[in-house]
Amino acid sequence: MTGRRPDWLHPAFRLIEGEDSFVWADLAALPVPAGGVVQADRPSRVLAALAAAEAAGQGLLLARGVADPEGWQPEQGFTVTLESSGTTGAPKRLRHDFARLRGRLRGAAEEGARWLLTYDPGAFAGLQVMLTAAAAGALLVAVPGGGGGTIAALAQAARRHAVTHVSGTPSFWRAFLMALGDAELPLAAVTLGGEAVDQPLLDRLVARFPHARLRHIYASTEAGALFAVADGRAGFPAAWLDDAPDGLALRIVDGVLEVRSPRAAPGVADGEGWLSTGDLVERRGDRVLFAGRLDGLVNVGGVKVSAEAVERRLLAVDGVADAMVMAVPSPITGHLLTATIVAAPGVDEATLRAGLRAAAADLLPAARPRALTFADHIPLSIAGKKSRKGPQ
């Protein structure tokens, strides 16, 4: 591919991908597959394909995993089709207008920033990070292997290149903090997204990086980038239900958050423009807090419980570096909850078990984990999230 540099890619932008380095001239020289389909496993491939598709005025499919179009045809006009991870079935494809996709990019004036890519390059969040760095003329650091390889490799790359901006899921951040240990990192911006954020993690990040700007972002492949919260508190202001930012409308219907967004993918909302996020929320005073996923509710002996809500209870216990609560089949109750715990360095296991039992004591019996196991880490999916699917 050769051609004019796109206006969304700053001339000072540079990409480090493992041991390789790219500027626009290098990206422009990369071959681009015909047919509007690219395997979105490396940021260099994705950025080159975006530029080529825009120049050709045709649609682009960012395929995750094996690039198989399965009957997909590029439509006229430059659009970007994203795939879900496909962890629970066939990937879902959603087409986005490129201008809308970039509608809430922040940091375009932060030339000189050094971003770490922790997300899969073909994911909505990964694309947002790449486009933000490209527009700002920043350095983007990526580790080959999906969303950046192992947490240890990402921590090593962050130290080596002295990154200043990192965006990741809460699960990523808990593991990243452990991998960093006491190493210094000149972070100016800490961003979280992709999962509900708990207050203990926000407090840990403020203590670890006191000079960094902290915010958590709410977005999805279907709804696009919605809003960011920057006040250091979990959830979002309840006042936004009456007056939401950035052209949004928010409401709660039967305990589930619904949104009306000018950045949503076409065809995902109802006739009035409302889209159910599937996120359970609770209004508490001046705050709306996330309480798990609607599709994550588990039937334990006839009682619906949220593994994520129980998990947040355990994450608040002193000495817990990370935790994962999941449902496993039970011949008696249908399902029951179990918990895997990662202890902070130097914490006594017996003392921690007692603290965890105390934290769960006032939960409904169905919501109390029936088994506690300890591990040195919790595996994450390519999207940087915990997989709660137990054996079937």
Side-chain angles (χ1 to χ4, degrees), residues 103-130:
R104 284 205 78 260
L105 291 186
R106 298 294 185 264
E110 296 180 305
E111 185 175 348
R114 297 182 294 277
W115 279 88
L116 180 68
L117 181 63
T118 74
Y119 294 107
D120 179 16
F124 178 85
L127 191 58
Q128 292 283 296
V129 169
M130 290 189 294

Side-chain angles (χ1 to χ4, degrees), residues 281-369:
V281 293
E282 300 173 352
R283 182 168 184 168
R284 297 184 187 174
D286 67 345
R287 211 71 180 171
V288 176
L289 300 176
F290 291 92
R293 293 281 301 169
L294 182 62
D295 57 10
L297 291 176
V298 180
N299 191 324
V300 180
V303 179
K304 293 289 185 68
V305 298
S306 167
E308 294 161 284
V310 176
E311 183 175 292
R312 281 195 287 279
R313 176 75 69 99
L314 302 185
L315 285 168
V317 175
D318 287 341
V320 173
D322 204 353
M324 181 174 70
V325 175
M326 60 186 294
V328 297
S330 166
I332 299 174
T333 62
H335 291 88
L336 53 80
L337 298 186
T338 66
T340 301
I341 304 296
V342 178
V347 174
D348 176 69
E349 182 177 315
T351 302
L352 189 52
R353 281 185 181 275
L356 291 164
R357 285 195 298 269
D362 64 340
L363 294 174
L364 293 172
R368 297 173 196 162

Side-chain angles (χ1 to χ4, degrees), residues 17-89:
E17 195 175 83
E19 298 303 318
D20 298 322
S21 181
F22 300 84
V23 295
W24 163 244
D26 304 307
L27 295 173
L30 292 177
V32 178
V37 180
V38 63
Q39 185 174 352
D41 58 347
R42 288 176 174 259
S44 55
R45 281 199 184 111
V46 172
L47 292 169
L50 284 169
E54 182 181 43
Q58 72 173 29
L60 177 68
L61 169 65
L62 300 184
R64 303 171 73 179
V66 178
D68 183 358
E70 294 182 355
W72 185 85
Q73 295 293 329
E75 60 283 328
Q76 289 300 312
F78 179 41
T79 60
V80 181
T81 298
L82 303 177
E83 290 189 331
S84 64
S85 62
T87 54
T88 58

Side-chain angles (χ1 to χ4, degrees), residues 157-170:
R159 294 193 300 267
R160 177 182 177 185
H161 298 288
V163 299
T164 59
H165 291 58
V166 179
S167 177
T169 65

Side-chain angles (χ1 to χ4, degrees), residues 188-284:
V190 170
T191 306
L192 303 93
E195 297 173 314
V197 185
D198 58 282
Q199 193 62 51
L201 177 58
L202 291 173
D203 294 342
R204 286 173 63 194
L205 289 168
V206 168
R208 183 68 170 77
F209 306 110
H211 304 297
R213 182 176 69 254
L214 176 67
R215 60 183 186 147
H216 46 106
I217 292 175
Y218 187 67
S220 72
T221 304
E222 296 85 0
L226 293 173
F227 57 78
V229 181
D231 60 7
R233 299 174 61 191
F236 62 88
W240 288 2
L241 295 172
D242 299 316
D243 184 18
D246 293 320
L248 297 176
L250 305 172
R251 69 182 184 185
I252 301 173
V253 178
D254 296 328
V256 177
L257 181 65
E258 295 189 352
V259 301
R260 190 161 56 194
S261 169
R263 294 171 291 278
V268 299
D270 65 18
E272 296 181 347
W274 289 100
L275 168 66
S276 174
T277 65
D279 286 311
L280 297 168
V281 293
E282 300 173 352
R283 182 168 184 168
R284 297 184 187 174

